[in-house]
Amino acid sequence: LVFRDPVARSRLETILHPHIRSLRDRWLEARRQGGASIVVSEVPLLFEAGLEDEFDIVVVVHASEPERERRLIEGRKLDKENARLILRSQGDPDSKLTRADYVIHNEGTLDELKAAALEVLAAVRRDADNSSSDG
């Protein structure tokens, strides 16, 4: 329903987003209090909600539209029309790529995705180590 009705979607987001933000903020604060040097937060609508400035580094995991559509149809058992409605609600993927600090291309296997994510994590850790030794 919410992908077919912008008013219903807006109403749902108005209800959910403040609660999700509160939960995320508490979770992040607990990680900081626990001494975590790096904290990862998954935010599906990061750019759409205008939250990218709240994070030091933005990593976008990207797959082509046909691949994302296939995954929605196979993984969530959606029909093609509903899969496309969801994809249209996710904003312009090319814009996200240009705004990211790192991009992980996700066209392959789960093992390939994991390897790429670990490479980005290693780079983020190096950057964090370099910035903490600079200051």
Side-chain angles (χ1 to χ4, degrees):
L1 170 67
V2 298
F3 295 109
R4 293 182 189 281
D5 182 347
V7 173
R9 181 173 176 200
S10 178
R11 202 168 347 144
L12 178 65
E13 289 174 349
T14 299
I15 295 166
L16 290 178
H17 286 185
H19 183 63
I20 292 167
R21 181 187 189 99
S22 175
L23 290 171
R24 186 189 72 235
D25 289 348
R26 283 189 291 180
W27 183 84
L28 288 170
E29 185 58 29
R31 305 289 81 71
R32 286 185 194 104
Q33 294 296 322
S37 59
I38 296 175
V39 179
V40 176
S41 185
E42 181 180 353
V43 184
L45 298 174
L46 179 75
F47 297 111
E48 293 83 352
L51 299 175
E52 65 270 23
D53 291 337
E54 294 186 22
F55 297 90
D56 297 322
I57 296 171
V58 173
V59 179
V60 169
V61 179
H62 176 75
S64 65
E65 188 167 325
E67 180 62 18
R68 289 182 291 137
E69 182 179 297
R70 182 191 69 76
R71 290 174 182 170
L72 285 169
I73 291 168
E74 291 178 10
R76 295 190 187 177
K77 308 299 184 214
L78 296 175
D79 61 40
K80 189 173 257 194
E81 180 184 356
N82 281 316
R84 287 184 176 167
L85 286 170
I86 290 172
L87 291 175
R88 274 189 239 123
S89 75
Q90 295 176 343
D92 176 26
D94 293 332
S95 168
K96 293 176 186 184
L97 298 178
T98 62
R99 296 164 74 184
D101 297 295
Y102 297 92
V103 176
I104 298 173
H105 295 280
N106 183 18
E107 298 289 331
T109 67
L110 195 54
D111 285 339
E112 290 169 328
L113 174 62
K114 183 177 179 180
L118 289 173
E119 286 179 25
V120 168
L121 178 58
V124 168
R125 284 183 171 146
R126 280 191 304 274
D127 290 348
D129 289 343
N130 290 339
S131 67
S132 67
S133 65
D134 292 342

